[in-house]
Amino acid sequence: MKKPEIKNTIRRYRFDHDEMTQEELAELVGVSRQTIIALEAGKYVPSLGLAFRIARVFGAKVEDVFEYNAD
Amino acid sequence: MGRHEKIAWYNLAVIGTSVLFFLVSFFVMKDRHSLESSFEVSSSAFAVLAFLGFGQTLFRKEDAGKRRSGFYDPELDERDVQIRQRAALHSFAIFWVLFVLAIMGFWMFFRWRHGTEGPLMITFNVNLLPLLTVPGFLIIMSVHAISTIIQQRDNIKDNNGVQGVFVSNLRSMILSMFFLPIFLLMSFFIAMQGEIFFAFQFAALSFGAFAMAVREIRRKQEYLEDERLVYGVKLLGRISNIVFTLMYGGLIVKFILDYSKFGLFKFPTLFILLFIALIFYRTVIADLRHYLRERRHEKA
């Protein structure tokens, strides 16, 4: 059975970006820290707009930060 | 703990306090005064509910306003909105089930106590009528708060994309499975009191609600890992669809028969028959066709 999942590398990107805190990222993309926690834990799938905003903060493409896993 | 979780806890505390005040006051008063006046006076305890309005102010974000990044500090971000919508859905769904159970419970109680013969009239103080809205409000607010707390705490465990929606639907179905026997038991009691038609209608509605819950699961069934569970859900959906359609078909036939007694059989009946055919096609024929198509695919 297929089990689609959207994984992300937000945590790695944060550390690569001068160990940015969750609070700082939340502030930059306009959400609460709880939402960043849920995103990093893979327990919340963001809207397309939020995914683009996060990628833009890290200067990366959306597909680099978020990965669709269809296996 | 996030702001919205704090507000939910605060709301629960306020609701709990008002209910506690009401109960204590009612049980203290009822020994000295009539039940009616004890109820009326004790209901003043619900004034405590006014504190619900302070939640947003008490747990206001201190740094609310425009941030350096240009975004406004979100009082409510997209995840909070999603949690709030689902909490609203949960609260109204639970309220509806409890409302039906309460109404039917009262009806059955009075019938059981006063017999089934003839109409039964009861009188009550009309001033109590507005107070009946209070339990509804309490149920909706409490379920909303509990649902918000669970979702915020869980980091919305069951919100893992489409699969999360499935888990949420599975929970709904389990809940429906719990309520279905209760409703059927009520139908049985109603039938025992000689109201066969009413009992039949009530049972048909119960199956209808159950079929809707199962249909939701079937839409997400590709995310089930166990093949046996997939077939179990499919079978359950098919059976509940058929039972619902047959029961409601029977009710509509009875409606036509009653209608025909007044000599109004022609045009409305045609529309009703077309409606039955449509429902029958949508719920039974289309379902079976889908099943046969799947079987063909599997064989191929």
Side-chain angles (χ1 to χ4, degrees):
Chain A
M1 284 292 150
K2 285 181 182 175
K3 202 175 184 180
E5 264 182 283
I6 293 177
K7 292 179 177 173
N8 68 70
T9 47
I10 295 174
R11 187 182 287 267
R12 188 171 60 78
Y13 270 102
R14 270 199 308 113
F15 282 96
D16 290 348
H17 279 74
D18 215 10
E19 296 193 0
M20 183 189 286
T21 63
Q22 290 175 331
E23 185 69 45
E24 282 168 340
L25 178 60
E27 187 178 320
L28 287 168
V29 296
V31 294
S32 64
R33 194 173 70 88
Q34 280 75 22
T35 298
I36 300 295
I37 295 169
L39 276 169
E40 286 189 357
K43 287 167 181 171
Y44 175 66
V45 178
S47 68
L48 207 51
L50 178 57
F52 272 103
R53 291 207 297 273
I54 291 171
R56 182 177 284 184
V57 164
F58 296 132
K61 290 178 181 171
V62 176
E63 59 265 37
D64 294 335
V65 184
F66 296 93
E67 186 192 340
Y68 177 71
N69 184 8
D71 297 331
Chain B
M1 193 188 289
R3 175 175 175 261
H4 297 283
E5 195 183 336
K6 282 180 194 165
I7 294 175
W9 276 116
Y10 172 78
N11 287 348
L12 263 189
V14 171
I15 291 168
T17 310
S18 68
V19 171
L20 190 74
F21 280 179
F22 169 77
L23 290 177
V24 169
S25 154
F26 180 74
F27 283 106
V28 167
M29 279 192 73
K30 83 176 174 61
D31 294 333
R32 297 172 204 169
H33 305 276
S34 72
L35 275 181
E36 202 176 296
S37 57
S38 305
F39 182 81
E40 214 169 336
V41 171
S42 305
S43 60
S44 307
F46 292 122
V48 175
L49 292 175
F51 282 95
L52 287 175
F54 295 113
Q56 299 285 336
T57 319
L58 277 173
F59 301 102
R60 192 180 52 206
K61 278 181 98 81
E62 283 173 14
D63 56 346
K66 204 168 184 180
R67 291 163 157 180
R68 287 194 306 273
S69 57
F71 286 110
Y72 277 95
D73 191 9
E75 287 281 312
L76 201 69
D77 70 12
E78 58 177 51
R79 178 171 156 269
D80 297 324
V81 171
Q82 204 172 51
I83 288 175
R84 194 175 268 205
Q85 284 171 345
R86 291 175 65 183
L89 197 68
H90 292 156
S91 57
F92 280 98
I94 298 278
F95 165 74
W96 174 246
V97 172
L98 293 179
F99 175 75
V100 173
L101 282 176
I103 295 289
M104 297 311 291
F106 273 119
W107 181 78
M108 279 160 56
F109 172 74
F110 283 114
R111 277 296 178 195
W112 165 74
R113 200 163 173 188
H114 300 282
T116 55
E117 291 303 310
L120 177 65
M121 312 298 261
I122 56 165
T123 52
F124 67 98
N125 187 342
V126 76
N127 292 336
L128 294 179
L129 214 50
L131 287 175
L132 293 181
T133 58
V134 175
F137 178 72
L138 291 179
I139 291 167
I140 287 176
M141 289 301 287
S142 318
V143 177
H144 195 285
I146 292 167
S147 173
T148 303
I149 290 166
I150 292 172
Q151 291 183 74
Q152 292 275 6
R153 282 215 146 176
D154 248 12
N155 262 338
I156 27 182
K157 231 178 243 170
D158 62 344
N159 194 24
N160 197 4
V162 185
Q163 200 187 356
V165 178
F166 166 74
V167 174
S168 162
N169 285 331
L170 189 65
R171 283 182 189 169
S172 313
M173 195 178 83
I174 291 166
L175 201 67
S176 309
M177 278 179 168
F178 172 72
F179 282 117
L180 184 70
I182 296 177
F183 279 116
L184 289 181
L185 200 66
M186 281 184 130
S187 307
F188 175 72
F189 276 117
I190 296 167
M192 290 292 283
Q193 290 174 6
E195 304 272 359
I196 303 293
F197 177 66
F198 193 19
F200 195 72
Q201 196 173 10
F202 198 66
L205 274 175
S206 315
F207 270 107
F210 185 64
M212 274 170 69
V214 176
R215 222 170 288 149
E216 278 299 307
I217 299 295
R218 291 196 57 200
R219 275 162 48 186
K220 312 287 182 310
Q221 69 198 10
E222 60 263 40
Y223 304 111
L224 282 172
E225 287 193 354
D226 191 337
E227 292 283 339
R228 283 169 303 179
L229 201 55
V230 171
Y231 281 106
V233 169
K234 278 182 183 173
L235 190 68
L236 210 57
R238 213 158 280 131
I239 292 170
S240 52
N241 269 348
I242 291 169
V243 171
F244 172 66
T245 309
L246 291 179
M247 289 184 98
Y248 247 80
L251 283 175
I252 293 173
V253 168
K254 186 191 177 298
F255 175 67
I256 292 172
L257 291 176
D258 289 348
Y259 211 56
S260 64
K261 286 178 194 163
F262 295 97
L264 299 164
F265 197 66
K266 290 171 189 167
F267 283 113
T269 310
L270 259 179
F271 281 115
I272 290 167
L273 285 174
L274 268 174
F275 186 62
I276 296 176
L278 188 72
I279 292 179
F280 195 73
Y281 174 77
R282 287 297 303 153
T283 53
V284 179
I285 307 287
D287 198 43
L288 286 176
R289 277 183 63 191
H290 178 73
Y291 173 70
L292 291 172
R293 208 165 40 232
E294 265 184 4
R295 294 277 296 180
R296 268 205 304 276
H297 267 292
E298 274 169 19
K299 277 183 185 168

